[in-house]
Amino acid sequence: MNNAPVKKVPIHLQSSQNRLLIKNGRVVNDDGMEDADVYIEDGIIKQIGRNLIIPGGTRTIDATGKLVMPGGIDPHTHFELEMMGAKTADDFYKGTKAAVAGGTTTVIDFVLPNKGQSLLEAFGNWRQKADNKVCCDYALHVGITWWSPAVKKEMEQLVAEHGVNSFKMFMAYKDVWMLDDYNLMVAMETCSELRALAQVHAENGDIIARNTEKLLGSGVTGPEGHQLSRDEEVEAEAVNRACVIANQANAPLYIVHMMSKSAVKALRIARSRQRPPVYGETLAATVGTDGTHYKNACFRHAAAHVLSPPLRPDPSTPEAMVQALADDDLQLIGSDNCTFNEREKELGKNNFTKIPNGVNGVEDRMAILWQKAVNTGIMDPCRFVAVTSANAAKIFNLWPQKGRIAVNSDADVVVWDPRLERTISAATHSHTVDFNIFEGQHVVGSPQYVIVNGRVCLDDGNLRVVEGLGKFLKTPANCPYIYGEERSRSPQTENLDVPITPSKITNGTPTHEL
Ligand SMILES: C[C@@H](CNC(N)=O)C(=O)O
Ligand SMILES: [Zn+2]
Ligand SMILES: [Zn+2]
Ligand SMILES: [Zn+2]
């Protein structure tokens, strides 16, 4: 599939980065913290503790007063995606450069085949786009944008031969990527048979289509029409329906980019009643801003906030989503980084349905959540690590290679300075895109050092990424945190009045209950 030459890190880069000691820091994992030094060699964490025996020629980073955390894992990015007649501004180089700048050292992007296109062909295209550009390791989800027996066959091949363990189905984007309920159920059954993870974009695409007709017919063409066509209950209905279908299909489920309190409520009920685990992801945008921007008189400003599902005008949404992450009503935060410059967003100048959907987030995801969650006391640093890194590693079967500061784990490490202050701006961000939805936001807490597979790529605030340093990560199926125990094949319709302990991500021995 991918005949790109095997990448080698230039020799002059190897020796100087080979041995590293991170001293006097506080190591933070999802299950606890300890004051300990971390010794890294050949891209792997070799020792953790005090008074370590360290060979000569080791570079020492003084992490006094800093937190030493696992590199962030962003489970939801779209670099170099072509959609709605436009191509995203951030490619795999600039997108992963921005990721590293913000403390993220692994991203999971989406292969999105056109309707009717071979999944394997699309997968190969994504590998060609990414392999020589990524500044950090990456994995791939694959979109199921149409259905046929051939699609099922290619899903089997992607799992067996190409290290894919997650497939995203769309309940919106009618006539473009949307599956009906019958095919959605068959696709989920296939994911379960392959012991892969079904993901859904949960919005009711038919309601959106009808609302859009009515809005355009009544002369509403501005960005505010995007939000008006698909309010919270249009998302929550699809969340519930996706959970019922997954339960009937006996399939674990992951709901991407959950954007509203109503959706979280529907998820909470589903997580309390059904056997196959259900996981919820929200976004940096959802906790960092809101849907009031759709009314901004400046088209560029309003259109820059257009993504699906939309940001919600309810100003209490951001804090509610942070609380949901803290309470394990949501399990992860991604970015859904899908950025379009002003020229592309203007495709929808006279018709909101033509505004390419997507916002930034891959660079600011961790700092925005730290500001809104940890600095406010809603979340502690361990939970912060869980939702920004460890849970994604567990769910996508990268644990503990990724998502943990542990001996033999990859040396993807962030030295986080909780007092480092900065103001977010498109003028200074590492993205290509010409807009930042967090413009002007002041954050306290950011990475001082970011180490990618043992190489210092953010060095005391100086970004020194290496294009092509990252590699493709196979995410194996049959993840122990999801499929740890053999599950009976019949749908688990329990007595709804007797809640089963909701699936929670634990750090004990792997079980199917996360
Ligand atoms: C295709 C991608 C576009 N981004 C967005 N959420 O609007 C998605 O739906 O996740
Ligand atoms: Zn989506
Ligand atoms: Zn403006
Ligand atoms: Zn997305």
Side-chain angles (χ1 to χ4, degrees), residues 299-378:
F299 172 82
R300 173 59 180 131
H301 187 102
H305 292 77
V306 168
L307 81 159
S308 294
L311 294 162
R312 303 303 177 184
D314 177 347
S316 71
T317 302
E319 186 172 341
M321 302 306 271
V322 170
Q323 193 63 57
L325 281 168
D327 298 345
D328 198 39
D329 284 332
L330 289 171
Q331 285 69 47
L332 312 89
I333 183 167
S335 68
D336 199 357
N337 198 90
C338 191
T339 51
F340 296 97
N341 284 324
E342 179 166 18
R343 195 166 38 131
E344 282 73 29
K345 287 281 187 176
E346 294 221 323
L347 290 169
K349 188 84 170 144
N350 303 311
N351 178 340
F352 63 82
T353 68
K354 308 286 184 206
I355 299 172
N357 285 201
V359 295
N360 63 285
V362 77
E363 179 168 349
D364 301 311
R365 177 181 70 110
M366 293 175 77
I368 282 287
L369 184 67
W370 186 272
Q371 180 65 21
K372 304 290 185 180
V374 180
N375 289 347
T376 57
I378 296 176

Side-chain angles (χ1 to χ4, degrees), residues 224-440:
E224 73 282 4
H226 179 74
Q227 195 279 326
L228 293 171
S229 69
R230 52 222 293 169
D231 62 20
E232 289 198 27
E233 67 176 358
V234 178
E235 179 187 9
E237 181 278 331
V239 167
N240 177 65
R241 181 158 40 100
C243 291
V244 168
I245 295 173
N247 199 37
Q248 293 293 310
N250 196 32
L253 179 66
Y254 179 110
I255 304 176
V256 301
H257 51 47
M258 293 182 64
M259 303 295 286
S260 65
K261 293 156 62 174
S262 309
V264 170
K265 191 174 169 193
L267 174 64
R268 190 186 302 117
I269 293 167
R271 277 169 57 86
S272 68
R273 80 181 172 212
Q274 59 193 64
R275 185 67 72 195
V278 188
Y279 308 108
E281 169 202 279
T282 192
L283 304 179
T286 328
V287 304
T289 185
D290 62 35
T292 55
H293 293 274
Y294 295 129
K295 291 196 167 63
N296 191 299
C298 168
F299 172 82
R300 173 59 180 131
H301 187 102
H305 292 77
V306 168
L307 81 159
S308 294
L311 294 162
R312 303 303 177 184
D314 177 347
S316 71
T317 302
E319 186 172 341
M321 302 306 271
V322 170
Q323 193 63 57
L325 281 168
D327 298 345
D328 198 39
D329 284 332
L330 289 171
Q331 285 69 47
L332 312 89
I333 183 167
S335 68
D336 199 357
N337 198 90
C338 191
T339 51
F340 296 97
N341 284 324
E342 179 166 18
R343 195 166 38 131
E344 282 73 29
K345 287 281 187 176
E346 294 221 323
L347 290 169
K349 188 84 170 144
N350 303 311
N351 178 340
F352 63 82
T353 68
K354 308 286 184 206
I355 299 172
N357 285 201
V359 295
N360 63 285
V362 77
E363 179 168 349
D364 301 311
R365 177 181 70 110
M366 293 175 77
I368 282 287
L369 184 67
W370 186 272
Q371 180 65 21
K372 304 290 185 180
V374 180
N375 289 347
T376 57
I378 296 176
M379 191 182 284
D380 67 24
C382 293
R383 183 66 188 169
F384 176 84
V385 166
V387 302
T388 59
S389 181
N391 287 354
K394 290 177 180 177
I395 290 171
F396 295 107
N397 211 0
L398 292 168
W399 172 275
Q401 174 198 355
K402 301 293 187 185
R404 189 163 185 80
I405 301 292
V407 171
N408 294 328
S409 292
D410 286 0
D412 287 348
V413 182
V414 182
V415 177
W416 188 267
D417 181 347
R419 280 168 293 282
L420 183 54
E421 303 200 30
R422 65 189 178 92
T423 300
I424 295 174
S425 172
T428 52
H429 68 199
S430 300
H431 290 272
T432 304
V433 69
D434 58 11
F435 194 95
N436 189 312
I437 59 171
F438 309 115
E439 187 72 33

Side-chain angles (χ1 to χ4, degrees), residues 175-242:
D175 302 328
V176 181
W177 292 330
M178 183 171 139
L179 296 187
D180 64 23
D181 288 355
Y182 179 86
N183 285 331
L184 180 57
M185 185 164 178
V186 175
M188 286 184 179
E189 288 165 353
T190 304
C191 290
S192 183
E193 287 156 22
L194 295 172
R195 299 173 86 73
L197 182 57
Q199 297 183 312
V200 286
H201 176 129
E203 289 185 285
N204 186 310
D206 287 319
I207 294 176
I208 292 165
R210 182 59 191 136
N211 281 342
T212 298
E213 281 172 9
K214 290 157 65 177
L215 284 160
L216 292 174
S218 65
V220 177
T221 60
E224 73 282 4
H226 179 74
Q227 195 279 326
L228 293 171
S229 69
R230 52 222 293 169
D231 62 20
E232 289 198 27
E233 67 176 358
V234 178
E235 179 187 9
E237 181 278 331
V239 167
N240 177 65
R241 181 158 40 100

Side-chain angles (χ1 to χ4, degrees), residues 433-498:
V433 69
D434 58 11
F435 194 95
N436 189 312
I437 59 171
F438 309 115
E439 187 72 33
Q441 290 207 31
H442 189 70
V443 291
V444 182
S446 275
Q448 183 188 12
Y449 295 90
V450 178
I451 295 140
V452 179
N453 282 321
R455 179 177 166 74
V456 182
C457 290
L458 181 73
D459 195 336
D460 196 11
N462 303 303
L463 200 50
R464 296 204 173 102
V465 295
V466 175
E467 184 171 2
L469 181 74
K471 62 184 180 299
F472 175 68
L473 294 169
K474 289 197 169 189
T475 49
N478 204 25
C479 175
Y481 285 91
I482 298 175
Y483 289 100
E485 281 169 20
E486 188 55 37
R487 277 200 324 279
S488 66
R489 286 281 155 226
S490 61
Q492 306 298 326
T493 41
E494 304 290 336
N495 168 352
L496 298 191
D497 300 331
V498 181

Side-chain angles (χ1 to χ4, degrees), residues 76-78 110 168 256-257 336 338:
H76 194 150
T77 61
H78 300 282
F110 284 84
K168 176 180 178 181
V256 301
H257 51 47
D336 199 357
C338 191

